[in-house]
Amino acid sequence: MLEHVLNGLYYGSVLFMIASGMTIIFGVLGILNLAHGELYALGAFCAFSIVGFFAGQVAAPTGPVTAIVFALVVLAGSLAAAAVLLPVGGALEATFVRPIYDRDEVYQLLLTYGLLLVLTDVMKFVWGPSPVDVGVFSGINEIPTTELVGFSYPSYNVLVILIGVAVFGWLVWFFDRTKTGRIVRATAINREMSTAIGVSTDRMFTLVFAIGAFFAGFGGAMVSIGPGSASLGMGLRWLVLSFVVIVIGGLGSLRGAFVGALLVGVSSRIVTPYFPQLELAVPFLLMVLVLLVRPEGLYGTWGEIQ
Amino acid sequence: MTTGLTDAMETGGIDRRTLLKTVGGSALAVALAGCTELLEGEDDPLADADVPDEPVESGLQTFTEGAPSVLGVQARYGAETAVRRINENDGIAGRQMNLDVVEESDAYLTNYQQFVDDGKDVTFGPISSSGHAEMVPEIEAQEVINVSTDGTVTTLYEEDFPDVTYSFRFQNHDVMEALAAVEQAVEVLGADSIDTYAGINPNYAFGQDEMELFSAGIEQLTGAEEVYSGFPDLGTGDMSTHITEVNSEAPDVVFSSCWGGDATLLLEQGHANDMFDAIDVLVGPVLYGSANDLSEDLVRGPIYSGSRNFYWGEPSTDRWSPAADLVDEVQSEYGVVPTAHFMSGYGAVTAWATAAEKAVRLLGRWPEQEELAMVLENHGFFTPAGYHTIGADHQGYSNAHFGELTWSDEHDAAALANVNVFAAKNVSPPPGEISADWIGSW
């Protein structure tokens, strides 16, 4: 059972990294970004190119120490890959999203769906139509975990769980403790007032979209350097699951996204061995259950990042 | 257990006359068998046939992008290679052949209808089993022959569509690969040593069908008990929960029909979770379909894979030059090793093309669709993979291959060692018999 829980925490951590970006963008900008899954896929493809280059600069791991060095280099490469999404996200917001903030939601959905298709074609043009794999997963797993968690367990999963917690911690710190984060939250609550006191909402919104894209890309990088590969269409499944997570957690709530992602991850991993036919259904059943009890989600905060 | 090819071919003792006779005496058939060097100086017996001048128009639908393209692109390469060889050898009864390729996606029915509207003489694909099942009624209604490349669910022609005219399938059906996996596991471990088994299979018709057949076969042969059966979603991002269960049960045999990205995910997470220390053997009928995506560290362990109806190293390439030539050609042209899915595309085109030329010989003119469909029934033909037949049930039958997953430094790719070749008659029921009933009679 403990191993299933760890598997669930791993799965939930990946899910949180992707869903957090969507939560941030929805919580501040009010945009339900259908292209979010493709930003995640773009991160996975960038990881293939950038992490592949970085990993090639160091020797393959031969022992625990070299494996840790290798893992750190791969992690740096993943951050660099996700960083590509910062200007991409910023440019998308400034060019396409900004003009339609005041339009009906249907325009936003159509626009972001169009961006989804464009991004897919861009990735096909750059990386080709076939899946690509960084090939560093087994290297990272050279780090022994027997002493860390008491039994043999994939090092990569442990790293992803720790990174997921770190991402959550950073986001909470950023929005709660930094001046920029507080301005972003204030802007989300009252745009007119923020503008009146001299805040550039355009700049804030671009920054938020870029941060959201960054975390989508970082989630993609985590999947790409893990056991999965980067492939066209990979974003759809995670896009749908991200919706489920942010609905469970409450639209716009970072804490909700974190708890929701872990709930989805752990429950699906625990239920699957005993009721395999429910593997797909568990997240949705959980969502229905939460909505029946708390229609606003576990930590619902409309129009505000919390 | 090599049983498929003639002894003369395996020993390299075949002469030109014998080969020409074996493949039907047709220049095209010889070319597609991969023996074009034998054609010099042959007369063209089709010169007087009434055959149109315009090229044959054909269409292939396959997965050209995304995760399933691991298989689909190989099928495309195979079909293109067959068409290239056809055209380099004066076409089908003199007609050149054109091939349009479209993305299969979920548009199999629309694709087929579009091909028909475009006036295609024949269509090939899809890969998807559910797609093929959905297409069959439309194929029968439109009366334009379709030769499916894959989509191997056994029940398609056994139960769902037992009486069809224009719908055919080249690739072996599931029962052949599931039973080859049973035979392979028994050979590696011995029937008396197999007490428990488990399965991790994709959660759709193909995966469920394969697991059901494997269970029936291994329980019949060994009396083993199933201790776990998991069905991760097709294209899943995580199989760790199923691997954890397998590890806790520590079965003697694990069966997996995972393919494409799912196959590499299973091996990646299997190694990371020490699954290959917990089990005695993993048998997977289509693991080798991901050969070009496997790295050297992934093929370590007691892992045995099928290669459906074609493995490029079997018979040994120094004894069977068509297979060796094909590997060289494909590596040179596309930079990959050809897998069974390459042969799906190659074989589907070859089945139809050789049948078409046979029909021209019989009729002295280009055949109608119905006439060509009749010739395709019980049609036998060679490819570099050996001899294949299309049965009266419209199902393709070829040797099934299974071997130990290993690494080839020569080709810098995953390879199979100690390959067993199972003749179709040993791993599929006699004509007219239902597979499950046949397995139950073992």
Side-chain angles (χ1 to χ4, degrees):
Chain A
M1 181 56 78
L2 174 62
E3 205 159 338
H4 284 313
V5 172
L6 285 171
N7 290 338
L9 292 175
Y10 156 72
Y11 190 63
S13 296
V14 175
L15 192 50
F16 168 69
M17 282 182 250
I18 302 162
S20 63
M22 179 177 275
T23 293
I24 294 165
I25 291 172
F26 183 82
V28 177
L29 279 59
I31 297 280
L32 204 50
N33 180 20
L34 293 181
H36 196 72
E38 298 315 303
L39 296 174
Y40 149 81
L42 184 57
F45 277 106
C46 287
F48 166 75
S49 297
I50 297 173
V51 173
F53 172 79
F54 272 72
Q57 307 304 305
V58 293
T62 53
V65 175
T66 51
I68 290 171
V69 172
F70 185 79
L72 290 174
V73 169
V74 167
L75 182 59
S78 301
L79 287 167
V84 172
L85 272 294
L86 284 170
V88 170
L92 289 177
E93 193 277 340
T95 310
F96 299 108
V97 181
R98 190 180 297 169
I100 61 157
Y101 281 129
D102 296 329
R103 307 285 290 271
D104 286 345
E105 285 83 359
V106 68
Y107 289 96
Q108 299 168 0
L109 293 176
L110 277 173
L111 174 81
T112 53
Y113 184 70
L115 290 175
L116 177 159
L117 299 175
V118 171
L119 284 169
T120 301
D121 275 353
V122 168
M123 287 183 277
K124 189 193 297 187
F125 177 76
V126 175
W127 285 281
S130 299
V132 293
D133 189 9
V134 183
V136 298
F137 178 69
S138 60
I140 296 172
N141 279 301
E142 293 292 323
I143 304 169
T145 56
T146 314
E147 294 174 9
L148 188 63
V149 292
F151 58 94
S152 179
Y153 189 69
S155 312
Y156 180 75
N157 293 22
V158 177
L159 285 176
V160 168
I161 293 168
L162 295 175
I163 290 169
V165 172
V167 166
F168 175 62
W170 185 88
L171 283 170
V172 169
W173 171 80
F174 176 76
F175 284 109
D176 276 357
R177 303 290 177 186
T178 68
K179 183 181 175 185
T180 307
R182 287 172 177 168
I183 292 173
V184 167
R185 290 177 62 193
T187 307
I189 294 166
N190 194 326
R191 293 183 197 182
E192 288 76 16
M193 181 63 76
S194 299
T195 307
I197 61 174
V199 173
S200 169
T201 53
D202 285 353
R203 197 178 298 166
M204 281 298 125
F205 284 10
T206 302
L207 173 69
V208 167
F209 203 96
I211 292 174
F214 173 87
F215 284 108
F218 192 57
M222 287 295 101
V223 168
S224 185
I225 65 173
S229 54
S231 63
L232 297 175
M234 68 186 290
L236 185 60
R237 173 191 306 276
W238 294 97
L239 176 71
V240 174
L241 280 177
S242 294
F243 281 139
V244 171
V245 163
I246 66 172
V247 168
I248 289 174
L251 298 169
S253 169
L254 273 175
R255 289 177 182 82
F258 186 66
V259 173
L262 296 188
L263 277 177
V264 167
V266 173
S267 61
S268 67
R269 299 303 94 170
I270 288 178
V271 168
T272 297
Y274 306 105
F275 302 99
Q277 61 274 35
L278 292 180
E279 182 167 5
L280 273 178
V282 165
F284 297 93
L285 291 173
L286 188 65
M287 181 179 74
V288 169
L289 193 64
V290 168
L291 289 180
L292 285 174
V293 179
R294 286 180 62 88
E296 70 278 20
L298 294 176
Y299 298 86
T301 54
W302 282 88
E304 179 186 0
I305 277 290
Q306 190 177 75
Chain B
M1 192 188 278
T2 301
T3 56
L5 299 168
T6 64
D7 291 341
M9 282 182 171
E10 290 181 17
T11 56
I14 194 166
D15 59 23
R16 187 175 87 167
R17 184 176 300 278
T18 306
L19 182 63
L20 285 171
K21 185 180 175 186
T22 307
V23 299
S26 153
L28 174 75
V30 175
L32 287 168
C35 307
T36 50
E37 71 275 13
L38 298 173
L39 288 173
E40 290 176 13
E42 285 298 313
D43 295 331
D44 183 359
L46 298 168
D48 297 330
D50 182 14
V51 176
D53 292 333
E54 64 264 26
V56 170
E57 298 296 339
S58 65
L60 165 73
Q61 55 174 319
T62 186
F63 292 110
T64 61
E65 63 185 44
S69 68
V70 173
L71 280 58
V73 170
Q74 283 267 337
R76 175 182 189 154
Y77 292 161
E80 289 176 346
T81 301
V83 169
R84 190 165 61 241
R85 287 183 170 189
I86 287 168
N87 292 337
E88 286 171 356
N89 289 276
D90 301 327
I92 306 165
R95 294 183 71 180
Q96 294 285 294
M97 188 173 192
N98 293 330
L99 178 73
D100 286 341
V101 181
V102 298
E103 165 63 25
E104 181 172 329
S105 188
D106 289 330
Y108 18 80
L109 202 53
T110 311
N111 287 338
Y112 174 76
Q113 289 161 337
Q114 186 63 50
F115 280 152
V116 173
D117 290 346
D118 291 345
K120 302 296 186 203
D121 298 293
V122 59
T123 66
F124 304 107
I127 284 181
S128 157
S129 49
S130 60
H132 191 200
E134 203 169 317
M135 280 171 58
V136 170
E138 182 67 11
I139 295 166
E140 295 302 301
Q142 294 285 353
E143 301 182 349
V144 174
I145 291 172
N146 180 80
V147 185
S148 173
T149 50
D150 293 85
T152 59
V153 173
T154 303
T155 49
L156 183 77
Y157 291 131
E158 275 192 1
E159 297 172 18
D160 300 339
F161 302 102
D163 184 21
V164 289
T165 303
Y166 301 97
S167 172
F168 295 86
R169 177 167 63 190
F170 171 72
Q171 187 59 266
N172 288 350
H173 54 171
D174 292 350
V175 68
M176 300 172 72
E177 14 189 85
L179 295 184
V182 171
E183 301 264 13
Q184 182 69 52
V186 168
E187 181 175 312
V188 173
L189 298 178
D192 294 340
S193 301
I194 301 176
D195 298 320
T196 54
Y197 72 96
I200 300 177
N201 291 274
N203 195 10
Y204 72 118
F206 167 74
Q208 290 153 357
D209 202 39
E210 290 251 343
M211 185 63 198
E212 194 175 327
L213 290 162
F214 180 83
S215 297
I218 199 159
E219 287 179 15
Q220 196 73 22
L221 272 191
T222 69
E225 178 194 357
E226 180 183 296
V227 291
Y228 179 72
S229 183
F231 290 95
D233 190 27
L234 182 67
T236 184
D238 178 38
M239 289 189 190
S240 56
T241 186
H242 302 287
I243 291 168
T244 298
E245 280 298 298
V246 165
N247 283 353
S248 70
E249 297 292 345
D252 299 316
V253 178
V254 174
F255 173 78
S256 177
S257 57
C258 288
W259 54 271
D262 287 349
T264 51
L265 184 71
L266 175 68
L267 295 184
E268 293 255 33
Q269 291 196 314
H271 280 290
N273 286 278
D274 300 326
M275 184 176 83
F276 299 105
D277 295 334
I279 66 172
D280 289 341
V281 65
L282 167 69
V283 284
V286 264
L287 295 176
Y288 194 71
S290 306
N292 293 289
D293 294 328
L294 299 179
S295 54
E296 191 169 359
D297 55 313
L298 286 190
V299 304
R300 296 184 186 126
I303 308 167
Y304 290 79
S305 173
S307 189
R308 293 197 157 175
N309 57 9
F310 168 60
Y311 177 62
W312 51 267
E314 180 62 38
S316 170
T317 49
D318 58 356
R319 291 185 297 163
W320 175 239
S321 63
D325 293 344
L326 186 72
V327 175
D328 292 342
E329 181 179 336
V330 173
Q331 283 213 302
S332 168
E333 180 76 22
Y334 304 110
V336 298
V337 293
T339 66
H341 303 283
F342 178 96
M343 192 47 62
S344 297
Y346 190 100
V349 172
T350 303
W352 183 87
T354 51
E357 196 164 90
K358 186 193 284 184
V360 174
R361 285 175 181 281
L362 291 169
L363 300 170
R365 59 173 169 78
W366 191 262
E368 300 295 329
Q369 290 281 346
E370 188 176 4
E371 293 166 335
L372 186 41
M374 287 176 67
V375 175
L376 260 167
E377 283 189 9
N378 294 311
H379 175 54
F381 57 98
F382 270 92
T383 72
Y387 192 64
H388 313 264
T389 57
I390 301 289
D393 56 358
H394 290 217
Q395 168 62 49
Y397 292 94
S398 317
N399 291 329
H401 300 73
F402 234 97
E404 185 177 6
L405 210 52
T406 185
W407 187 257
S408 166
D409 288 329
E410 179 188 355
H411 295 283
D412 193 30
L416 295 179
N418 306 316
V419 177
N420 284 319
V421 183
F422 301 95
K425 65 182 175 61
N426 293 334
V427 285
S428 62
E433 197 163 338
I434 298 296
S435 297
D437 298 340
W438 176 67
I439 296 170
S441 69
W442 282 10

